[in-house]
Amino acid sequence: FVDKFHAKSMTRLADTLAREKWQRAQIPREYQILIDRAFERRKPASSKAGSSASEHKRQANGTPDGDGDDNTEEPLSRVLFVSAAASSASSTTSSTGKSKRFRKFPVVKSLLSLLKMVSRYIECAQQIPAVAPDVLQRLIELLKLFTSRTCQLVLGAGAMQLAGLKSINAKHLALSAQCLGLMITQIPVIRKAIGSKLPSKHRVLLSGLDRVQQDYHEHQRAFFDKLVSIVNELVEHTLRGLIQSDWAVAQDESTLASVSAVVDPSVRTLMKQTTSLHRVLSDLLPGDQRDTIFQRITVIFAEVVCKYLSRLSFAHRTLEQQVSVNVQHILKRLRVLDGLPPDACKELEIFIGDDAKSALRATAGRMMSASSAASAASASASAAAASAAS
């Protein structure tokens, strides 16, 4: 019975994931109730379990109080609420700033399917305690399937072939990370629910859930790393092109004199893309996770900007002004992003500071002098060799 039940669930979850478009799901209330009641699918006779999260959800959606569980007219939710006390991560404020008691999780449809399957596994173990150890091992396999396939389909871009996605973008990555994040909060709940039905000699099997939770943590970090690497590639591409632009490679004074100090179009595009990413992550991720990602991104900006722009010859004042106006634009757009500490852009500020520019001009002057001396020496040696030959 357990094997047949498990095989059917694994096939169904795999098929659901293969069809997943990785778009934000509209969530029926039954799933919030499932979370509120720790995967207890039957309605308690006279219990108010989970009422706090359900009430918070109703307030967030603007739904009047007093709706019953069987009210089919209630609007669908855009997020699942999880009690901060039940979450291993720190709590964050809601978009309205009214509560710090709950974390919000926008999710995809396949995650909802997984939640319902998990509730059935737990129900099976609770109703037939004799098969609880077998059910636990099969449930661990189910949880592993979800996280491994999520990585293959999104990080590995398998969804482009299976589900017909044109590309894998920041929304797909952030939603996938949130799905894993929700399950990270629920694995301890699952552990408690099914562990209570295990004989003492089988309690050691619960360590398998701990390993699965660690896998979910590692895979979620991989999604965050991918978001950072996308920006890294964009910044590298933009700065590599910037130092090859006409004003950057110009050598004669007449060409440089005709250059006006304006922000390069590629830099404007880069900062629009960065602002758009911040907006997407603000909508989908908790503030603490978004801020951690963007603190890493500001470090990337500083490192890449300094790496490429310091290669330019700052002996020309016009070129120095052009560099300054581009870096100032980057600074301006980064500073207005919510969640970044005041010193997040310190390295870029130092780079375009007067002391740094003076040092770069001095270095450029020494390089030009050395180049001129080398050219003169080469010309003198060539003349001497020609004289000797004659």
Side-chain angles (χ1 to χ4, degrees):
F1 161 74
V2 173
D3 287 341
K4 186 179 295 185
F5 165 72
H6 176 60
K8 185 177 180 180
S9 298
M10 292 284 281
T11 299
R12 184 177 299 164
L13 181 60
D15 290 344
T16 302
L17 284 164
R19 296 191 302 269
E20 181 62 69
K21 297 292 186 180
W22 302 100
Q23 297 174 346
R24 189 172 188 163
Q26 295 295 312
I27 306 169
R29 190 179 173 196
E30 64 177 296
Y31 293 97
Q32 183 62 59
I33 295 172
L34 204 62
I35 294 294
D36 294 346
R37 294 176 178 163
F39 295 98
E40 171 59 67
R41 299 178 68 221
R42 294 170 299 168
K43 183 176 179 181
S46 59
S47 172
K48 295 184 179 180
S51 60
S52 296
S54 295
E55 173 64 18
H56 185 72
K57 187 194 73 154
R58 282 197 295 273
Q59 292 176 0
N61 289 336
T63 306
D65 294 341
D67 289 347
D69 287 352
D70 59 349
N71 185 355
T72 58
E73 298 300 320
E74 183 176 356
L76 299 175
S77 176
R78 286 171 54 80
V79 295
L80 282 168
F81 290 95
V82 176
S83 170
S87 171
S88 59
S90 61
S91 64
T92 57
T93 59
S94 68
S95 59
T96 60
K98 292 182 179 179
S99 174
K100 295 182 179 181
R101 294 180 299 149
F102 298 93
R103 293 183 70 93
K104 301 184 300 182
F105 291 90
V107 297
V108 299
K109 289 182 179 179
S110 55
L111 188 279
L112 300 179
S113 297
L114 175 63
L115 290 177
K116 187 166 286 188
M117 290 178 188
V118 167
S119 72
R120 288 169 178 159
Y121 277 70
I122 292 175
E123 185 177 30
C124 179
Q126 291 177 339
Q127 291 186 354
I128 316 175
V131 300
D134 291 333
V135 170
L136 173 59
Q137 294 184 71
R138 304 304 190 277
L139 179 54
I140 288 172
E141 291 178 6
L142 188 77
L143 294 171
K144 285 182 176 180
L145 174 65
F146 183 83
T147 186
S148 63
R149 288 298 289 158
T150 296
C151 288
Q152 292 165 8
L153 292 168
V154 183
L155 281 180
M160 292 177 65
Q161 179 180 359
L162 291 177
L165 298 185
K166 293 182 179 180
S167 63
I168 301 296
N169 59 37
K171 287 184 179 181
H172 300 140
L173 294 167
L175 274 171
S176 300
Q178 280 289 70
C179 289
L180 299 185
L182 175 67
M183 294 310 300
I184 288 170
T185 71
Q186 295 308 298
I187 287 175
V189 179
I190 295 169
R191 194 184 199 278
K192 182 178 180 181
I194 203 167
S196 63
K197 299 301 178 181
L198 287 176
S200 298
K201 64 180 181 180
H202 289 128
R203 292 287 175 84
V204 66
L205 297 175
L206 292 170
S207 63
L209 282 174
D210 299 333
R211 289 191 293 271
V212 169
Q213 188 177 33
Q214 184 61 35
D215 288 343
Y216 272 72
H217 274 294
E218 291 177 1
H219 293 167
Q220 187 186 51
R221 283 194 292 269
F223 281 100
F224 294 155
D225 291 344
K226 182 62 177 179
L227 288 164
V228 174
S229 73
I230 289 173
V231 178
N232 186 46
E233 292 171 5
L234 289 173
V235 179
E236 285 273 353
H237 175 76
T238 300
L239 270 295
R240 194 181 301 117
L242 195 63
I243 65 170
Q244 295 173 355
S245 57
D246 292 342
W247 60 264
V249 298
Q251 295 296 323
D252 58 289
E253 293 291 344
S254 60
T255 302
L256 287 169
S258 65
V259 175
S260 57
V262 295
V263 181
D264 194 271
S266 64
V267 173
R268 289 189 183 277
T269 299
L270 171 64
M271 298 318 296
K272 286 181 181 178
Q273 292 169 325
T274 304
T275 302
S276 177
L277 175 63
H278 188 273
R279 187 163 52 248
V280 168
L281 299 191
S282 296
D283 183 46
L284 297 176
L285 296 183
D288 56 342
Q289 292 178 350
R290 177 206 63 191
D291 296 346
T292 299
I293 290 170
F294 263 83
Q295 286 170 23
R296 294 173 62 188
I297 286 173
T298 58
V299 171
I300 286 172
F301 266 98
E303 291 177 348
V304 177
V305 165
C306 295
K307 178 176 74 172
Y308 283 101
L309 295 186
S310 61
R311 299 175 185 176
L312 299 177
S313 172
F314 280 76
H316 299 287
R317 181 69 66 176
T318 301
L319 190 146
E320 178 188 312
Q321 292 173 346
Q322 186 66 20
V323 168
S324 181
V325 76
N326 278 287
V327 177
Q328 287 285 5
H329 181 72
I330 293 172
L331 276 169
K332 178 182 177 182
R333 297 301 294 269
L334 289 177
R335 284 170 177 156
V336 298
L337 299 178
D338 290 338
L340 290 179
D343 62 346
C345 305
K346 184 177 180 180
E347 289 80 5
L348 285 177
E349 294 171 352
I350 293 173
F351 179 76
I352 59 172
D354 291 336
D355 292 342
K357 287 188 286 187
S358 296
L360 288 168
R361 283 198 298 272
T363 301
R366 289 194 298 270
M367 291 175 63
M368 291 179 67
S369 297
S371 178
S372 297
S375 297
S378 177
S380 177
S382 298
S387 176
S390 61

